[in-house]
């Protein structure tokens, strides 16, 4: 099967309403995800929750990498086909995400009802992961091939808006008005996405796009020429290396003597601004210069960020305190922005590879493999840092990321320019 037949048919006119829908869906996914992984952890730790419990809470994030297991079900069945196959899923899942957040606001102090709060957090993660399957499927089916580059920029860029709201703004609201105000504000932001969902009218799926069942429906995309090297080789290496480098930022800056509040501002808010710009720039670069050039540029930006971080994390570098802060901030921004540019090119190829009949399953499988690579990379980098120091771990992560870019560039879709 040629890869040129895998994406949505050419000629689809994507209006502004659809672009607004994608921005809303991908932003709200990461509002809750960032809150649970960053904001909630900070709030609970501030209240005295032990690190073991906080570590167990982080395990909820494993739901996202394994969501490919039920993605074929989302492709095959919908709660209300008359309202649009994937839209009907959004009409159910988006309110459930809101309700899960509002249920958290029932409790005045999260410390007093931690067990129930963890259950509600697990429910939210499940709802948001499933919502992501439906949103990805809408992207595959609703975007023309010529729009995949810009669509990838929206997917990646919206995640950083959600990260700023859920990881940064939520903490500011918590400091000013308390727990309930923070959670209700996040619920209102998540509910706002219902407006474009209600206005969206999803085209009926053609009969020729019948979904394969069983393993063919779940893993059939890997049979596409070049897909195995891409999905099982290049992409996991890029995400492994990038996550490895990023995982070092917070602990290294802590050991360098930075305050937790400033580190949180740098990683959750300051670095998110250039990352958002990088996502939008990456989409346009893919369109004008090609995905291969975009990946190389992203790798270069990430390497520059790593070079800036090296004197901060390397023991005995002898960097003065006044120079350490700007180097650390620029380094963190560069590492995240570079990965964002690369990720935009990766998502654009993933949109091309996904088959319309298995839109949710295919794109979800590709992104899940990348997430697993990132999870292993973050663990490996911290383990290596404990054994050989931050400097060696930083060089290792950057080298793996560059190796992934080299493997990815061998894929023919990377040479494509819209």
């Amino acid at each position: 099967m040629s890869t040129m037949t895998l994406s949505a048919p050419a000629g689809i006119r994507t209006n502004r309403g659809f672009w607004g829908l994608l921005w809303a869906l991908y932003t709200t996914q990461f509002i809750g995800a960032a809150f649970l992984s960053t904001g909630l952890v900070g709030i609970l730790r501030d209240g005295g929750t032990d690190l073991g419990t906080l570590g167990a809470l982080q395990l909820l994030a494993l739901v996202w990498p394994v969501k490919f297991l039920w993605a074929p079900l989302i492709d095959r069945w919908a709660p209300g086909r008359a309202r649009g196959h994937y839209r009907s899923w959004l009409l159910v899942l988006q309110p459930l995400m809101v309700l899960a957040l509002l249920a958290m606001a029932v409790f005045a102090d999260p410390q007093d009802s931690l067990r129930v709060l963890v259950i509600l957090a697990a429910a939210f993660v499940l709802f948001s992961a499933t919502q992501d399957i439906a949103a990805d499927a809408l992207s595959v089916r609703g975007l023309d091939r010529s729009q995949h580059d810009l669509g990838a920029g929206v997917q990646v860029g919206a995640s950083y808006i959600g990260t700023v709201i859920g990881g940064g703004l939520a903490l500011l609201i918590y400091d000013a008005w308390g727990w309930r105000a923070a959670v209700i504000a996040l619920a209102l932001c998540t509910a706002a996405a219902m407006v474009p969902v209600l206005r969206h009218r999803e085209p009926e799926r053609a009969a020729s796009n019948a979904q394969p069942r069983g393993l063919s429906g779940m893993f059939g995309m890997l049979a596409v020429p070049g897909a195995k090297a891409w999905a099982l080789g290049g992409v996991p290496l890029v995400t492994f290396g990038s996550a490895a480098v990023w995982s070092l930022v917070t602990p290294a800056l802590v050991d360098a003597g930075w305050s937790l509040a400033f580190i949180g501002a740098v990683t959750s808010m300051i670095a998110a601004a250039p990352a958002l710009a990088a996502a939008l720039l990456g989409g346009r670069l893919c369109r004008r210069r090609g995905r291969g050039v975009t990946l190389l540029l992203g790798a270069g930006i990430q390497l520059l960020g790593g070079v800036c971080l090296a004197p901060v994390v390397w023991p005995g570098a002898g960097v003065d305190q006044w120079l350490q802060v700007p180097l650390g901030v620029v380094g963190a921004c560069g590492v995240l922005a570079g990965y964002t540019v690369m990720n935009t090119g990766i998502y654009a190829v993933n949109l091309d590879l996904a088959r319309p009949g298995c839109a949710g399953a295919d794109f979800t499988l590709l992104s899940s493999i990348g997430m697993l690579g990132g999870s292993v990379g973050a663990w490996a980098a911290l383990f290596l840092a404990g054994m050989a120091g931050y400097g060696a771990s930083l060089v290792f992560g950057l080298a793996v990321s560059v190796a992934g870019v080299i493997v990815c560039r061998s894929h023919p879709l990377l040479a494509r320019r819209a």
Side-chain angles (χ1 to χ4, degrees):
M1 180 186 294
S2 169
T3 56
M4 297 299 290
T5 64
L6 296 177
S7 59
I12 297 175
R13 294 182 60 85
T14 304
N15 57 34
R16 292 182 179 179
F18 187 76
W19 287 111
L21 173 67
L22 296 185
W23 275 108
L25 293 177
Y26 287 106
T27 298
T28 55
Q29 285 173 14
F30 284 88
I31 286 177
F35 175 65
L36 295 177
S37 63
T38 304
L40 181 59
V41 169
I43 291 170
L44 292 176
R45 183 58 178 167
D46 183 62
T49 302
D50 64 272
L51 293 176
T53 301
L54 296 181
L57 187 63
Q58 295 296 310
L59 292 177
L60 295 178
L62 292 176
V63 172
W64 276 68
V66 301
K67 66 186 188 313
F68 71 91
L69 295 174
W70 61 91
L73 173 65
I74 307 302
D75 282 331
R76 288 199 297 267
W77 181 81
R81 291 183 180 275
R83 295 173 293 178
H85 184 95
Y86 297 108
R87 177 176 176 268
S88 66
W89 277 109
L90 297 175
L91 290 171
V92 173
L93 294 165
Q94 203 73 26
L96 286 175
M97 291 165 62
V98 175
L99 289 175
L101 290 172
L102 290 177
M104 295 182 191
V106 171
F107 309 103
D109 186 350
Q111 304 290 336
D112 296 337
S113 306
L114 189 55
R115 185 170 299 178
V116 178
L117 194 65
V118 170
I119 294 174
L120 291 172
F124 180 89
V125 171
L126 178 62
F127 298 148
S128 62
T130 308
Q131 184 254 36
D132 182 56
I133 297 171
D136 289 340
L138 280 178
S139 298
V140 172
R141 295 182 52 78
L143 295 174
D144 183 77
R145 287 181 60 84
S146 64
Q147 298 170 321
H148 283 179
D149 298 320
L150 296 180
V154 170
Q155 288 176 316
V156 178
S159 69
Y160 291 109
I161 297 177
T163 298
V164 170
I165 296 173
L169 182 61
L171 287 179
L172 295 177
I173 296 175
Y174 172 78
D175 284 338
W177 295 291
W179 166 257
R180 282 177 172 163
V183 178
I184 290 174
L186 296 181
L188 291 175
C189 290
T190 304
M194 283 302 298
V195 175
V197 172
L198 290 171
R199 296 178 61 182
H200 178 62
R201 293 295 177 266
E202 181 183 350
E204 292 187 10
R205 298 196 296 176
S208 60
N209 286 337
Q211 306 88 351
R213 296 180 178 273
L215 293 178
S216 177
M218 187 178 296
F219 301 109
M221 182 276 304
L222 296 177
V224 175
K228 287 182 181 178
W230 172 263
L232 303 179
V235 171
L237 285 174
V238 171
T239 56
F240 181 106
S242 298
V245 175
W246 183 248
S247 71
L248 299 173
V249 173
T250 295
L253 295 182
V254 169
D255 290 352
W258 292 31
S259 70
L260 288 176
F262 187 56
I263 293 172
V266 170
T267 56
S268 295
M269 302 187 72
I270 296 175
L276 172 59
L280 301 178
L281 174 65
R284 295 186 180 278
L285 280 173
C286 287
R287 189 179 179 88
R288 296 178 180 178
R289 301 295 182 183
R291 287 115 179 226
V293 172
T294 302
L295 255 73
L296 284 177
L297 177 62
I301 295 173
Q302 189 176 75
L303 281 173
L304 288 175
V307 169
C308 291
L309 279 177
V312 181
V313 306
W314 221 299
V319 178
D320 293 334
Q321 186 67 31
W322 66 269
L323 185 59
Q324 192 183 85
V325 172
L327 281 176
V329 171
V330 173
C333 290
V335 167
L336 190 58
Y339 176 51
T340 300
V341 173
M342 290 189 288
N343 214 22
T344 303
I346 288 171
Y347 270 49
V349 174
N350 289 351
L351 285 169
D352 279 0
L353 287 173
R355 301 165 296 174
C358 303
D362 284 359
F363 196 95
T364 298
L365 177 63
L366 290 167
S367 60
S368 294
I369 293 172
M371 289 177 188
L372 286 171
S375 298
V376 176
W379 167 83
L382 292 174
F383 178 80
L384 181 59
M387 299 291 292
Y390 289 120
S393 189
L394 177 66
V395 172
F396 170 71
L398 291 172
V400 173
S401 182
V402 170
V405 170
I406 294 173
V407 175
C408 282
R409 278 179 55 81
S410 66
H411 198 284
L413 284 176
L414 273 183
R416 178 181 171 272
R417 195 184 305 176

